[in-house]
Amino acid sequence: MKRIRIFDTTLRDGEQSPGCSMNLSEKAEMARQLEKLGVDIIEAGFAIASPMDFKSVQKIAKAVSSCTVASLARCVRGDIDAAWDAVKEANHPRIHVFLATSDIHMEYKLQMSREQVLQRISDMVAYARGKCGDIEFSAEDASRSDRAFLARCYENAIAAGATTLNVPDTVGYSTPQEMGDLIRYLRENVRGIENVDISVHCHNDLGMAVANTLACVQAGATQVECTVNGIGERAGNASMEEIVMALRTRADFYGVETGINTKQIYRSSKLLSNITGVPIPPSKAIVGANAFAHESGIHQHGVIANAQTYEIMNSTDVGVPQNTMVLGKHSGKHALREKLESMGYELTDEELESVFARFKAMADKKKNITGSDLEALVLHRRNNINPTCRLVSHVVNAGNSIPNTSFVRLQRDGEVLEEVAIGSGPLDAAFKAINRMLGMDIRLESYSLNAVTDGEDAIGEAVVKLTDGGGESYTGTGLSTDILESSIRAYVNGINKMLESNT
Ligand code: KIV
Ligand code: ZN
């Protein structure tokens, strides 16, 4: 079967979506997970955008070995130089240059004529090719560009050394039929196109990003650009998990395959959600909590008689953990390591130590530790390894007829700090005590709490977004069977990220 390349732009276009920013180590962790998932290309960032973007592209270039690592660049020498400097140490580096080709973008944004755009593409693709053997050229807003002119742009890019041509539906305006027709048109009208990869990059403004991408595959595209959970500018990009599972489940129809290890899909989705604090909607295809749940009696009866009556995929195919009781309070470290390995998690000794300590504390309060509980503990492991501030203990008194008071004890770089405070509610009281003891003016921008599993002893996962007055937002997450504790842990975790980014 023909192999479709998966170009993942979670760390570039995805990270551009509000509330989805990640710090350096989170990006590197996500990149390593994308490598396990089996994506072909990781677009690691836009190196010229900021020193932090440059560093993260560089870090990812060194952290992954099998994937191609790309950096985005405008058709400008400075951008291309920065992109190359950031990716050059990757085993497989790529520079991704782009320039808008629609009349509206050329007139109002670029203020360039068609002839100037054609010349710039030739010059800058050649300049990039002089540095790197793998060059992708994107015609931004391709789907709203004049077709004959677009074909000339791509011909110039090929002549100057581009190895992949990307066709973006930048504003998510096209329909599947139009996108498919555009790919067919380009295949017939661009000289040399048979020697390069044809890529598509669809945005989801009208909810058609995945359908548009699949129509392009049918029309002959060989690379698809997508993000985990479909995050991205505005309504997002085409969702990786939906494209991959559509191509796999309907291989009879599409007749193509990808190199994705589908058992890593759920884990990748959860990791991204855990890092960004952006929840996965319950009805989200493939990775939502309800994606494999059968509620109606008729459906349940059918599935018991023959799973295929209502199931076109198996939840284990995408790596959803099974929620039968897996471990209990008498389970040892060895059993924990084995269980985690069977779930696909390989932890360092230090990580295992930290997860084991939290597992034991949890098993004292919760009889059955399920696959989802273990997964939550693993996803939170980085919060507990050498944090600047660590929650030692807390006491909170709350009620509707007494003042809400808190006592919180933290350890900061080994020093014990404690404080009491009164607040408008129990969390407000606890957060005020922390702000006071650290002498920081932290604002809580948003807060959410979700149960990891069902049942009265379910673990609660709290997510907070904090700001320090500097405009930057930091996501903190915390886990506990006690919702006050998970909230305080989330707050402390957000502060740790804030402190780390300022050092
Ligand atoms: O949406 C878009 O056009 C892009 C390009 C930079 C590829 O993200
Ligand atoms: Zn985009």
Side-chain angles (χ1 to χ4, degrees):
M1 265 200 272
K2 186 171 127 188
R3 165 91 184 264
I4 300 294
R5 288 174 199 267
I6 302 293
F7 176 114
D8 184 280
T9 183
T10 306
L11 297 169
R12 198 277 298 170
D13 215 327
E15 213 236 353
Q16 282 171 223
S17 53
C20 285
S21 56
M22 300 173 228
N23 67 28
L24 207 59
S25 57
E26 291 167 340
K27 282 188 184 173
E29 186 178 357
M30 194 65 216
R32 281 191 287 266
Q33 177 58 34
L34 291 172
E35 186 167 44
K36 275 195 199 147
L37 176 67
V39 307
D40 298 282
I41 301 109
I42 295 176
E43 186 164 49
F46 191 1
I48 194 77
S50 72
M52 194 47 93
D53 278 68
F54 181 89
K55 266 196 207 159
S56 52
V57 178
Q58 200 174 40
K59 186 165 176 151
I60 292 165
K62 291 179 193 162
V64 302
S65 51
S66 57
C67 308
T68 295
V69 178
S71 172
L72 187 65
R74 289 167 297 185
C75 274
V76 174
R77 278 172 198 264
D79 280 35
I80 295 169
D81 292 341
W84 175 240
D85 282 344
V87 297
K88 66 184 176 201
E89 286 185 59
N91 282 352
H92 311 282
R94 172 179 294 191
I95 302 176
H96 176 191
V97 289
F98 75 100
L99 190 63
T101 52
S102 63
D103 288 340
I104 186 163
H105 277 236
M106 289 188 294
E107 182 178 350
Y108 293 99
K109 190 181 78 173
L110 300 176
Q111 286 158 352
M112 286 170 80
S113 68
R114 287 188 176 190
E115 287 314 310
Q116 286 171 319
V117 164
L118 284 166
Q119 189 60 49
R120 181 73 72 84
I121 292 169
S122 297
D123 292 348
M124 290 302 114
V125 170
Y127 182 68
R129 183 61 198 256
K131 293 173 181 284
C132 179
D134 185 346
I135 302 298
E136 173 165 333
F137 168 71
S138 283
E140 191 187 11
D141 208 15
S143 56
R144 293 194 301 167
S145 303
D146 175 82
R147 283 191 175 182
F149 173 65
L150 183 65
R152 288 177 66 203
C153 291
Y154 285 133
E155 271 181 6
N156 279 17
I158 294 174
T163 42
T164 300
L165 300 182
N166 184 34
V167 185
D169 183 27
T170 301
V171 289
Y173 178 75
S174 281
T175 66
Q177 190 163 351
E178 285 168 337
M179 281 307 284
D181 285 348
L182 177 56
I183 299 297
R184 278 183 284 272
Y185 173 86
L186 293 171
R187 288 182 69 197
E188 279 162 19
N189 291 282
V190 175
R191 220 168 317 132
I193 199 165
E194 62 287 355
N195 303 320
V196 300
D197 263 306
I198 305 174
S199 177
V200 285
H201 176 112
C202 298
H203 278 270
N204 204 30
D205 298 67
L206 293 172
M208 293 194 281
V210 171
N212 284 344
T213 305
L214 294 172
C216 293
V217 169
Q218 274 184 286
T222 52
Q223 172 180 295
V224 297
E225 306 203 350
C226 50
T227 60
V228 174
N229 296 343
I231 64 168
E233 279 280 2
R234 305 181 309 281
N237 287 63
S239 141
M240 175 281 299
E241 55 278 4
E242 293 176 24
I243 295 172
V244 168
M245 289 313 287
L247 294 179
R248 181 182 143 135
T249 308
R250 297 306 313 275
D252 60 319
F253 181 77
Y254 290 107
V256 299
E257 62 183 4
T258 70
I260 294 293
N261 173 1
T262 61
K263 288 198 186 305
Q264 293 286 342
I265 285 182
Y266 185 78
R267 208 158 298 147
S268 309
S269 161
K270 279 294 227 190
L271 176 64
L272 181 69
S273 169
N274 179 267
I275 288 175
T276 58
V278 176
I280 304 162
S283 299
K284 169 83 176 66
I286 317 295
V287 290
N290 297 341
F292 295 96
H294 300 281
E295 191 68 20
S296 96
I298 295 174
H299 287 205
Q300 286 171 353
H301 179 240
V303 168
I304 290 165
N306 179 342
Q308 286 177 8
T309 51
Y310 287 100
E311 280 183 3
I312 58 164
M313 297 167 277
N314 199 317
S315 64
T316 53
D317 292 345
V318 296
V320 176
Q322 301 307 292
N323 270 337
T324 45
M325 196 272 273
V326 285
L327 292 175
K329 70 184 213 176
H330 299 298
S331 309
K333 209 182 294 176
H334 188 69
L336 177 66
R337 188 190 282 279
E338 275 196 350
K339 183 67 214 169
L340 291 176
E341 278 176 4
S342 78
M343 291 168 66
Y345 289 110
E346 277 167 31
L347 271 55
T348 62
D349 290 345
E350 190 188 23
E351 287 173 333
L352 184 70
E353 214 48 71
S354 143
V355 172
F356 186 64
R358 298 251 21 233
F359 162 75
K360 279 289 178 191
M362 199 159 278
D364 272 341
K365 297 183 189 150
K366 192 177 189 313
K367 212 164 124 219
N368 298 336
I369 307 281
T370 65
S372 298
D373 294 330
L374 283 184
E375 178 170 67
L377 285 175
V378 172
L379 286 173
H380 282 249
R381 69 190 183 277
R382 76 190 102 79
N383 298 0
N384 303 306
I385 297 174
N386 303 324
T388 311
C389 297
R390 180 191 293 279
L391 174 66
V392 178
S393 60
H394 67 281
V395 179
V396 180
N397 283 314
N400 63 0
S401 54
I402 54 163
N404 293 284
T405 57
S406 74
F407 165 81
V408 182
R409 181 178 288 143
L410 295 187
Q411 222 175 40
R412 180 179 177 163
D413 293 325
E415 183 194 355
V416 176
L417 305 171
E418 45 191 42
E419 191 57 78
V420 288
I422 297 181
S424 55
L427 290 183
D428 187 46
F431 298 166
K432 277 200 171 110
I434 295 173
N435 287 3
R436 196 175 296 160
M437 82 177 79
L438 297 176
M440 293 171 82
D441 179 23
I442 298 156
R443 259 159 254 166
L444 179 66
E445 295 293 324
S446 70
Y447 167 84
S448 65
L449 182 71
N450 285 298
V452 170
T453 46
D454 297 333
E456 55 202 23
D457 61 355
I459 301 178
E461 182 184 48
V463 179
V464 296
K465 300 255 181 214
L466 309 178
T467 54
D468 59 358
E472 201 67 45
S473 156
Y474 301 87
T475 304
T477 56
L479 209 61
S480 173
T481 47
D482 164 355
I483 57 172
L484 263 176
E485 183 178 322
S486 48
S487 307
I488 299 173
R489 283 183 180 278
Y491 199 76
V492 173
N493 178 236
I495 291 175
N496 281 331
K497 289 189 189 170
M498 200 178 273
L499 294 170
E500 262 171 43
S501 83
N502 293 332
T503 51

